[in-house]
């Protein structure tokens, strides 16, 4: 149930309404918007008579949320959420670009790539230090050494950091180095882990699972939100379909669908989405045109020798070209790219 409060309502009255909701046994989540304060009451059983809440002074409107996700829904928060990553705003008019290698490999590699992506206009440096690899014999990432290299390169070029955390035991460590915690596609349905992430204070970027419907993905976001972390960013990274011509099928249609259903920002990852270098640029362009709040792109200066995902990594020149094209597309839909 979503309770829209009258605009200009006094704080004391809001607290009183929250108290009444608690008395009914509901879990209450508050969202203070520009125009209205909205309360999300979770745990409402189907027989509950909503008029009991409608009658409370200060309540403007009570809406039943029919979707299974509540805190992630547009009904709970009408304006899109803007997540502030130390001055970089995700979900606002700017289309934010995250770029970097699939994995952090060594100091030289991450510094070289950080410089290229910074010069081209990226705001956030990506790079995995803990890698979810299909084979246990493949490169697994440099762990804390990789995190240190990533943070140092980002600091040097004034970039923010996004990197993957794979399980609960890594959260404290990764939080010390990252500005955004990336949750990989393979972990989207690891519900106990999602609850743990709800207790962290760092923003989370939740990738869509390989075989997850949009509703399942939003339910996973709901796990994080309902556990106390309001800063969730979604990431479309392609899904498994019957098509074999590409690594995954980049679901561009998920972008406008998610935008309608949810207030959460959405980033597109065309690198994993299509998985083939020469097709990453057209997918990135399409994602921006479709309304993505940002893109995450793998870039490598020597992809033939990359320890992971070289075949889908852009050369620095290609990344610069993409940035030029992306700016034109963003402008056409009244958005900006730095
Ligand atoms: C990655 O970003 O390098 C990655 C492993 O992504 P995904 O979880 O989408 O496969
Ligand atoms: Mn990768």
């Amino acid at each position: 149930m979503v309770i829209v409060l009258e605009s200009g309502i006094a704080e004391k009255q809001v607290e009183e309404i929250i108290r009444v909701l608690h008395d009914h046994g509901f879990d209450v989540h508050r969202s203070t918007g520009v125009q209205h304060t909205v309360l999300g009451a979770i745990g409402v059983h189907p027989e509950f008579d909503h008029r009991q809440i409608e009658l409370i002074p200060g309540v403007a409107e009570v809406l039943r949320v029919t979707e299974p996700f509540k805190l992630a829904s547009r009904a709970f928060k009408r304006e899109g959420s803007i997540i502030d990553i130390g001055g970089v705003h995700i979900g606002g008019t700017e289309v934010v670009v995250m770029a970097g290698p699939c994995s952090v490999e060594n100091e030289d590699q991450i510094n070289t790539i950080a410089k290229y992506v910074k010069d081209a206009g990226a705001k956030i440096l990506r790079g995995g230090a803990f890698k979810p690899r299909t084979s246990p014999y493949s490169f697994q990432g440099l762990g804390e050494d990789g995190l240190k290299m990533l943070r140092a390169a980002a600091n040097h070029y004034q970039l923010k950091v996004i990197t993957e955390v794979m399980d609960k035991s890594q959260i404290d460590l990764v939080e010390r180095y990252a500005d955004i915690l990336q949750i990989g596609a393979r972990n989207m349905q690891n519900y106990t882990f999602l609850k743990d992430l709800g207790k962290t204070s760092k923003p989370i970027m939740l990738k869509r699972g390989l075989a997850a419907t949009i509703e399942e993905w939003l339910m996973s976001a709901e796990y994080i939100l309902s556990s106390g972390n309001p800063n969730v960013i979604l990431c479309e990274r392609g899904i498994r379909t019957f098509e074999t011509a590409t690594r995954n099928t980049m679901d561009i249609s998920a972008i406008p669908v998610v935008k309608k259903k949810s207030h959460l920002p959405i980033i597109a990852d065309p690198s994993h989405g299509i998985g083939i270098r020469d097709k990453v640029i057209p997918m990135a362009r399409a994602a921006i045109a479709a309304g993505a709040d940002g893109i995450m792109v793998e870039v490598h200066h020597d992809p033939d020798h990359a320890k992971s995902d070289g075949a889908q990594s852009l050369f620095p020149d290609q990344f610069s070209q993409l940035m030029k094209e992306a700016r034109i597309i963003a402008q056409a839909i009244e958005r900006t790219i730095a």
Side-chain angles (χ1 to χ4, degrees):
M1 177 170 62
V2 168
I3 301 127
V4 183
L5 305 185
E6 283 168 1
S7 53
I9 184 172
E11 183 57 29
K12 263 197 127 168
Q13 215 176 345
V14 178
E15 283 165 18
E16 176 56 19
I17 297 167
I18 293 174
R19 195 191 57 73
V20 174
L21 293 167
H22 281 151
D23 285 351
H24 279 291
F26 305 140
D27 197 7
V28 182
H29 293 260
R30 176 175 179 166
S31 148
T32 310
V34 191
Q35 294 193 331
H36 288 281
T37 291
V38 174
L39 302 176
I42 309 288
V44 181
H45 46 84
E47 312 85 70
F48 184 78
D49 187 346
H50 288 62
R51 286 172 300 180
Q52 293 187 61
I53 306 300
E54 266 161 13
L55 292 170
I56 306 173
V59 171
E61 202 181 352
V62 177
L63 307 165
R64 226 181 266 253
V65 184
T66 47
E67 271 148 336
F69 46 89
K70 312 289 179 192
L71 303 175
S73 76
R74 273 270 173 204
F76 175 57
K77 204 159 173 284
R78 293 173 199 193
E79 316 100 53
S81 281
I82 299 179
I83 298 180
D84 183 359
I85 315 291
V88 175
H89 296 104
I90 302 183
T93 47
E94 184 179 343
V95 176
V96 174
V97 178
M98 310 177 176
C102 178
S103 306
V104 180
E105 298 169 12
N106 56 59
E107 247 173 68
D108 260 10
Q109 175 245 20
I110 193 66
N111 280 302
T112 304
I113 298 169
K115 180 176 181 349
Y116 279 126
V117 302
K118 170 72 183 190
D119 288 349
K123 290 283 175 75
I124 300 177
L125 183 63
R126 68 147 285 148
F130 293 105
K131 296 302 302 176
R133 305 304 300 279
T134 302
S135 165
Y137 309 119
S138 301
F139 177 62
Q140 303 284 306
L142 297 179
E144 185 167 9
D145 288 345
L147 294 172
K148 284 185 180 152
M149 292 172 197
L150 180 65
R151 184 77 253 177
N155 287 352
H156 191 261
Y157 292 104
Q158 292 175 309
L159 293 160
K160 305 294 173 196
V161 164
I162 182 166
T163 194
E164 179 160 354
V165 50
M166 284 172 61
D167 80 32
K168 186 184 180 182
S169 67
Q170 298 164 352
I171 295 178
D172 284 350
L173 176 69
V174 177
E175 266 191 322
R176 271 186 259 137
Y177 296 95
D179 299 299
I180 307 173
L181 308 182
Q182 175 176 323
I183 308 312
R186 291 154 191 82
N187 258 324
M188 190 210 83
Q189 284 173 310
N190 186 345
Y191 301 119
T192 50
F193 183 40
L194 298 179
K195 286 187 196 173
D196 295 328
L197 292 161
K199 302 202 172 61
T200 67
S201 53
K202 287 278 158 82
I204 308 288
M205 188 174 87
L206 178 66
K207 288 194 153 199
R208 181 177 181 181
L210 274 69
T213 64
I214 291 171
E215 186 170 299
E216 286 163 343
W217 183 21
L218 290 170
M219 288 308 288
S220 290
E222 191 78 9
Y223 264 95
I224 303 171
L225 297 167
S226 63
S227 304
N229 188 341
N231 299 316
V232 178
I233 302 156
L234 300 164
C235 178
E236 165 59 46
R237 49 80 71 207
I239 49 173
R240 282 259 165 100
T241 67
F242 50 81
E243 184 54 71
T244 54
T246 52
R247 181 182 182 189
N248 290 298
T249 297
M250 179 77 187
D251 185 7
I252 301 285
S253 66
I255 298 163
V257 172
V258 163
K259 281 271 151 212
K260 185 86 189 258
K261 288 182 184 291
S262 178
H263 57 87
L264 299 174
I266 180 167
I267 300 291
D269 170 357
S271 304
H272 296 87
I274 194 153
I276 310 163
R277 183 181 303 134
D278 64 334
K279 296 165 191 75
V280 170
I281 291 180
M283 286 297 100
R285 292 190 302 230
I288 295 168
D293 296 301
I295 51 171
M296 183 163 89
V297 184
E298 288 183 338
V299 178
H300 203 293
H301 62 297
D302 184 13
D304 289 346
H305 297 101
K307 292 206 160 133
S308 58
D309 285 349
Q312 66 190 31
S313 298
L314 296 185
F315 285 101
D317 286 356
Q318 291 178 302
F319 180 64
S320 307
Q321 180 62 27
L322 166 60
M323 289 299 287
K324 285 186 197 135
E325 296 168 4
R327 286 189 186 99
I328 298 167
I329 296 167
Q331 198 186 6
I333 53 168
E334 292 175 0
R335 297 191 78 164
T336 57
I337 295 188

